Amino acid sequence: MKIVHTTGSMLSEASGPSYSVPSLVHAQNCLGAEAELWSVESDPVSKSTKSYHRTFEAIRGVPVLSASHYSPNFARAIKQEQADVFHTHGLWLMPNVDPSRLRK
């Protein structure tokens, strides 16, 4: 089973999700799932998560788009991805909205 977890930010200042979401993805991989973590902002990816963490560049310079973490490459990847499950972590940011909007 292919699972893609999406979140707007994996910056360490995002607090809980920057620890809990990678831990969940790692556990799912250990159980035999093919799980990935996709985010728009991230601290440098650690060696332990590098194999399953994909980071996308957000649009800069357009306040409403950058504040919502909009990334055209993220949206394009969501459209093309053949995952069985998209699990979003968070609300109101485009990496949380795009999976349901683009994959209905």
Side-chain angles (χ1 to χ4, degrees):
M1 173 182 285
K2 174 86 183 259
I3 305 166
V4 174
H5 294 265
T6 66
T7 186
S9 176
M10 285 305 299
L11 295 172
S12 55
E13 64 191 34
S15 195
S18 65
Y19 171 77
S20 61
V21 177
S23 296
L24 173 60
V25 174
H26 177 74
Q28 288 175 329
N29 280 313
C30 288
L31 292 171
E34 184 183 345
E36 295 180 0
L37 168 58
W38 293 8
S39 66
V40 172
E41 288 187 330
S42 178
D43 287 334
V45 178
S46 73
K47 289 180 182 176
S48 63
T49 62
K50 191 171 190 160
S51 64
Y52 59 79
H53 185 185
R54 188 170 173 191
T55 305
F56 296 84
E57 182 86 24
I59 282 192
R60 301 284 181 227
V62 180
V64 70
L65 294 178
S66 57
S68 67
H69 298 220
Y70 177 68
S71 168
N73 290 334
F74 182 93
R76 202 170 4 266
I78 289 288
K79 286 183 191 176
Q80 295 172 352
E81 180 57 53
Q82 296 300 310
D84 298 299
V85 175
F86 288 94
H87 181 160
T88 66
H89 298 269
L91 295 170
W92 316 123
L93 298 176
M94 291 311 292
N96 307 118
V97 173
D98 279 341
S100 63
R101 181 177 68 88
L102 299 170
R103 294 307 301 249
K104 282 194 175 196

